[in-house]
Amino acid sequence: MRSIRYSRSRGSRRSEINMTPLIDMVFILLIFFIVTTSFVRESGVDVERPSAESVETKEKANVLLGLTSDGQIFVEGRPLDIRSVRAYMERFLAEVPNGSVVIVADKESSTGNAVQVLDQCRMTGVKNISIAARKQ
């Protein structure tokens, strides 16, 4: 029988680490964290919500429409004209067919403005619309 001998003069064996599985795992983890992350959407305006006793907590709202006391409408920090609400909601429904909308109106805002926003949302076919309030 022949024995295998390694001599130092011929060179030593080099071991290499295969990086492909490590890179694959990093990408899988990245995809997992991106998919499971919930992105918080905000109306983009600070309002003082009216208080009510019958407040219910809503799990998730896809769009928050902010309505200030002077009648301005905000979506994700951007001002929006009342005529643009319908077009914005149509684009939203194309992306999220069963989406929900929450109108976050200031307690000093006009009821007429809130009704106009509510009407524009309903005309596009949004079924789940709520108005935000704080619990007394």
Side-chain angles (χ1 to χ4, degrees), residues 7-105:
S7 66
R8 292 183 184 183
S9 61
R10 277 199 233 165
S12 61
R13 288 181 120 180
R14 291 182 4 184
S15 62
E16 294 180 13
I17 297 175
N18 189 0
M19 295 296 285
T20 306
L22 179 66
I23 293 171
D24 289 345
M25 272 311 285
V26 169
F27 281 129
I28 289 172
L29 286 173
L30 179 67
I31 291 169
F32 172 76
F33 286 120
I34 289 173
V35 169
T36 59
T37 302
S38 63
F39 296 100
V40 177
R41 291 186 173 191
E42 295 188 10
S43 63
V45 64
D46 290 328
V47 296
E48 189 174 336
R49 294 180 292 174
S51 59
E53 289 183 28
S54 63
V55 172
E56 294 179 11
T57 304
K58 189 160 181 82
E59 289 296 320
K60 186 176 170 185
N62 296 102
V63 173
L64 294 173
L65 293 172
L67 186 59
T68 63
S69 59
D70 57 350
Q72 292 181 331
I73 303 165
F74 287 88
V75 177
E76 297 176 359
R78 294 177 295 161
L80 199 64
D81 189 45
I82 189 66
R83 297 171 297 221
S84 304
V85 171
R86 188 170 184 177
Y88 183 86
M89 297 312 298
E90 286 173 351
R91 281 193 309 267
F92 164 69
L93 276 181
E95 294 173 9
V96 185
N98 293 325
S100 63
V101 175
V102 174
I103 299 171
V104 184

